[in-house]
Amino acid sequence: MRPAGTAQPAGAAHPAPRPGLRERKKRRTRDALLRAALELFTARGYERTTVDDIAEAADVSQRTFFRYFASKEEAAFFVSRLAEARFVDAVRARPPGEPPLEALRQSLAESWASIGEAIEQLVPLELHMRFYQVIETTPALLAAHLRRATELEEEIARVIAEREGLDVDADPRPRVVVAVFGAVMRVTERIWSARGEATLGALRDLTAAYLDQVEPALTGNWRRDRPPSA
């Protein structure tokens, strides 16, 4: 941290400008809609909640809702998409010498460290985690969640293949390792949800414990130019 009163170093990045009043109002409206949606989904149920209900709870019109979200499903998964995007960015940023599974695991650990704060900027973290448990008992939400998980796995497999210098369509390993990683995430989600421990820490610890059991089977030297681990 630069001490107060000292000069900004030459070439240093300047802080991002604060959003204008109009942009801040738009964000407040979006966040109010998100919070209203998640509160209604967890209290009343996803299927029993309409767009009109969400708009009324946020004290806006239905038309305003559709300015921010194409559907109530989009509102339901907006925060989760934020977490997914952060994870993909973290995978892309991992050092090129890391084995694929280790890159995935370290990216996840990095995401755990920052995602709670990012979520809190939109909705209370506890509310998001409670809604996440609703997914398991709501067929429409679960179907959407699994569909997106499949799309996310393909996106990450292509990132891993690019890091390793592989053709994702010719070499099955990127998709296989990502599928196994995704399966661990899916299993831990189900167990965590069934236990009723609606905390990010409980999900993080359970995921780490399960990854500990599969990591030895999948770690290895994929690249010929990478020396074996010490």
Side-chain angles (χ1 to χ4, degrees):
M1 180 180 293
R2 184 167 56 91
T6 59
Q8 179 83 3
H14 294 284
R18 187 184 182 205
L21 177 60
R22 182 177 181 182
E23 184 62 28
R24 295 201 302 274
K25 286 183 176 180
K26 289 172 64 176
R27 290 185 183 181
R28 284 197 295 268
T29 300
R30 180 202 62 190
D31 295 353
L33 285 165
L34 282 173
R35 182 165 185 164
L38 297 190
E39 286 177 343
L40 287 169
F41 295 155
T42 54
R44 182 183 302 179
Y46 179 76
E47 302 288 4
R48 295 176 182 169
T49 300
T50 66
V51 168
D52 284 339
D53 294 332
I54 298 169
E56 182 179 355
D59 197 25
V60 299
S61 66
Q62 183 193 82
R63 182 178 179 181
T64 297
F65 175 92
F66 285 117
R67 287 178 187 160
Y68 292 88
F69 306 105
S71 64
K72 67 176 186 177
E73 179 184 302
E74 184 176 311
F77 287 103
F78 184 90
V79 179
S80 296
R81 300 297 177 255
L82 169 67
E84 292 167 2
R86 281 176 171 255
F87 176 65
V88 174
D89 288 344
V91 175
R92 287 196 178 99
R94 294 307 302 170
E98 256 182 352
L101 186 60
E102 181 65 14
L104 291 172
R105 183 161 189 174
Q106 291 302 322
S107 298
L108 184 62
E110 184 179 309
S111 298
W112 289 133
S114 62
I115 193 59
E117 181 179 345
I119 290 171
E120 286 282 2
Q121 294 177 7
L122 300 174
V123 297
L125 179 59
E126 183 270 341
L127 174 61
H128 169 70
M129 301 310 293
R130 282 195 293 116
F131 168 71
Y132 210 74
Q133 292 185 320
V134 172
I135 294 172
E136 289 293 331
T137 57
T138 308
L141 290 175
L142 184 57
H145 180 55
L146 295 177
R147 181 182 69 246
R148 174 54 187 164
T150 300
E151 296 169 352
L152 183 62
E153 285 184 9
E154 178 65 16
E155 183 179 3
I156 297 171
R158 291 183 177 277
V159 172
I160 291 293
E162 183 178 353
R163 290 178 76 255
E164 298 299 313
L166 302 175
D167 181 349
V168 73
D169 294 319
D171 192 319
R173 288 177 296 176
R175 287 192 174 109
V176 169
V177 74
V178 172
V180 172
F181 186 84
V184 173
M185 296 297 297
R186 179 75 193 113
V187 168
T188 56
E189 283 176 358
R190 290 170 60 187
I191 295 174
W192 169 80
S193 180
R195 289 179 179 176
E197 299 175 271
T199 67
L200 189 62
L203 180 58
R204 178 195 61 218
D205 294 344
L206 186 62
T207 302
Y210 274 65
L211 284 172
D212 285 342
Q213 299 181 50
V214 300
E215 186 171 1
L218 293 176
T219 53
N221 190 351
W222 284 22
R223 295 177 60 160
R224 295 177 182 176
D225 59 344
R226 179 188 295 132
S229 300

